[in-house]
Amino acid sequence: MTVSGTCVSAFEPVRDLFAAKLESGDEVGACLAVVSGDDMVVDLWGGTADVPSGRVWERDTLANTYSLTKTMTALAVLLLADRGEVDLDAPVARYWPEFGAAGKQNVLVRQVLGHTSGVAGWDANISLSDIYSHEEAAALLAAQEPWWTPGAGSGYHVLTFGTLLGEVVRRVTGSSLGRFFAEELAGPLGADYRIGVTDEAPERFASMVAPSSAAADYSSIPPDSLICRTLLNPAFAPSIVTDPDFLAAEIGAANGQGNARSVARLASLVSGGGAVGGRAALSRTTLERIFDVQADGVDRVLGVPVSFGLGWALPGAVMPGVPEGRVCWWTGFGGSVVVADLDRDLAVAYVMNKMSPELVGAAKPNEYLAAVYDCVGRGR
C-alpha cells in the first residue's frame, strides 16, 4: 500500500510502522499526524476509505472520530471559560436553569467535563434519532435525577457529555455547539473538523470497518445496570456513521468528523500553551484547569481505572503510550486518539476506519504513540 504525505527524517520510524500496518492489513485506511511546536512534522495517510467501492483514503478524507469528539467539545467550553462567559466551578443550572431540577441544582460544569455529574445516560429508553433532536434530548436530561452523588467518582458520559455541554454552549452563546466550534475554533485554526456536516459530498467520508468482536459480552450484564443503561441506550452500528442524518446531527460526544491533521492542529492549541501559529486563543490559566483531577479510579461505566481532568483524560496505565507529565489525551471507540503534550509542545493524532473492539486502550494507537515518543526521545 502507498503511504502518502510528509514526514521529517527524525520520525521515519513512525512512517515505517504506519506503512507496515497498511501493508499487513492491520489498517484498512488511516491517517496519522504529529505537530511539534508550530510544525506539522508528520502528516501521513493511506489505504482504503471505503471497502465496498475501493475508494482510496485521500489527503482530505474525513472519518468519524467517535468519543475523541469530546475533547473538541471540551475546547469549546474552555474557550468560553477563558472569555469569562462560563465559570467551570459554577452550577450548570446558572446557564441552564431547567437543569437544576430533580436534585441537580449543585451539579457543576466541571463535573460534567470530568464525567462525575451523575448524568451519564438517559432514564428513558431512547433511539439515536432522539439524540439528533438536541433540545429534546437535553430536556430529558434536565428532568431526571443523577444516578449517583455528583462528584463522587466518574461514570463515563458516553453520549450525554455532548448533549449536556452542547446545551450549556447554546444557552450561553445562542449558537449550536457545531456552529460555535466551527466559527470560533476550527475555522480560525484552519482545522477541517466538524461537529455536524450538511455541506459535503459523501465521497469525503470514510466508512467504518466494524470490529470482528465486541469488547465485552453485554448479554451477560444485567440490562438495568449502569453499564448497559449508558453504553446501550442507545447503541448504534458503525455502518450508520456515513448516514446523512447522522452526519448532520451535532453530537458533541460521538460524531465529530475529521482527520489526523485537523485533530492534531486543534490539539496543538493545548500543547502549544494556548496559541497556534502565534495566535493566542486560550490563557495558560485556563489550560492548566484541564489538569484539575476530577476522578481517579475505576470508572463505573468503562470498568477500568481512568484519571479524568476537565474534558480530557490524564496519563495512566489504561493508555501506556501516553507519557507521564502535563499530558492530556482521549480516544474514540475503535482506536482514534489525540494527545496534547504541554511538556514537549507536541500534539499527536490518529484516525482510522478499521476499528478495534476496545472502548479505551486499543493496541494500535498505543503502538503509534510509542513510536512517536521513541523518536522524540532519540532526538534529544
Side-chain angles (χ1 to χ4, degrees):
M1 287 237 181
T2 300
V3 175
S4 300
T6 58
C7 178
V8 301
S9 59
F11 287 89
E12 279 298 328
V14 176
R15 183 188 185 104
D16 292 343
L17 176 62
F18 187 70
K21 288 197 171 294
L22 283 168
E23 184 64 30
S24 70
D26 203 16
E27 298 283 14
V28 170
C31 48
L32 181 64
V34 180
V35 175
S36 178
D38 288 331
D39 300 321
M40 187 78 67
V41 295
V42 176
D43 184 10
L44 302 174
W45 63 90
T48 304
D50 181 68
V51 173
S53 68
R55 176 165 45 86
V56 300
W57 193 292
E58 304 281 3
R59 180 183 188 277
D60 294 326
T61 294
L62 301 175
N64 191 62
T65 62
Y66 285 89
S67 285
L68 185 154
T69 311
K70 292 178 175 70
T71 63
M72 304 295 121
T73 297
L75 285 179
V77 177
L78 290 169
L79 183 62
L80 290 174
D82 200 66
R83 294 174 176 175
E85 296 180 57
V86 169
D87 181 347
L88 300 173
D89 298 306
V92 172
R94 175 183 296 181
Y95 311 104
W96 176 10
E98 297 89 337
F99 184 79
K104 300 191 304 303
Q105 64 274 11
N106 295 321
V107 172
L108 308 178
V109 175
R110 63 173 173 80
Q111 291 173 335
V112 179
L113 285 162
H115 301 273
T116 71
S117 77
V119 191
W122 282 267
D123 282 339
N125 290 325
I126 61 172
S127 66
L128 187 60
S129 61
D130 292 326
I131 298 177
Y132 295 169
S133 178
H134 168 78
E135 291 183 38
E136 292 180 15
L140 288 173
L141 295 177
Q144 70 183 52
E145 296 179 1
W147 290 355
W148 66 88
T149 302
S154 70
Y156 187 49
H157 294 19
V158 178
L159 289 171
T160 60
F161 186 95
T163 304
L164 295 170
L165 294 174
E167 185 63 5
V168 171
V169 170
R170 189 179 77 87
R171 294 292 180 115
V172 171
T173 69
S175 294
S176 69
L177 171 65
R179 180 179 176 185
F180 179 80
F181 180 82
E183 293 178 351
E184 302 293 338
L185 285 163
L189 297 181
D192 192 8
Y193 191 98
R194 327 286 183 82
I195 303 174
V197 182
T198 59
D199 59 350
E200 292 289 355
E203 293 76 21
R204 283 210 67 191
F205 300 97
S207 57
M208 292 291 144
V209 179
S212 57
S213 62
D217 179 11
Y218 294 112
S219 66
S220 66
I221 302 173
D224 60 349
S225 69
L226 191 145
I227 292 174
C228 287
R229 292 165 68 196
T230 303
L231 293 177
L232 304 181
N233 183 37
F236 59 94
S239 58
I240 203 171
V241 302
T242 55
D243 180 85
D245 289 339
F246 180 88
L247 290 171
E250 297 183 12
I251 306 174
N255 83 330
Q257 306 288 330
N259 48 41
R261 182 186 318 107
S262 63
V263 172
R265 179 74 170 173
L266 286 155
S268 71
L269 178 63
V270 178
S271 61
V276 173
R279 182 182 184 277
L282 293 174
S283 68
R284 279 279 184 174
T285 300
T286 297
L287 287 179
E288 291 297 337
R289 290 301 306 270
I290 292 173
F291 300 96
D292 288 351
V293 177
Q294 303 301 301
D296 188 9
V298 176
D299 183 86
R300 290 174 170 86
V301 174
L302 298 173
V304 295
V306 184
S307 179
F308 281 117
L310 294 187
W312 299 65
L314 307 179
V318 71
M319 201 71 178
V322 178
E324 293 295 325
R326 288 193 312 148
V327 185
C328 54
W329 65 282
W330 195 237
T331 186
F333 176 39
S336 60
V337 75
V338 58
V339 173
D341 186 331
L342 278 77
D343 288 341
R344 300 166 185 83
D345 196 354
L346 192 78
V348 186
Y350 159 68
V351 174
M352 78 300 129
N353 63 355
K354 184 176 182 179
M355 302 174 68
S356 301
E358 298 88 355
L359 295 177
V360 182
K364 284 189 294 183
N366 277 297
E367 291 179 64
Y368 289 128
L369 290 172
V372 168
Y373 277 99
D374 184 59
C375 292
V376 171
R378 287 189 292 105
R380 288 182 175 176

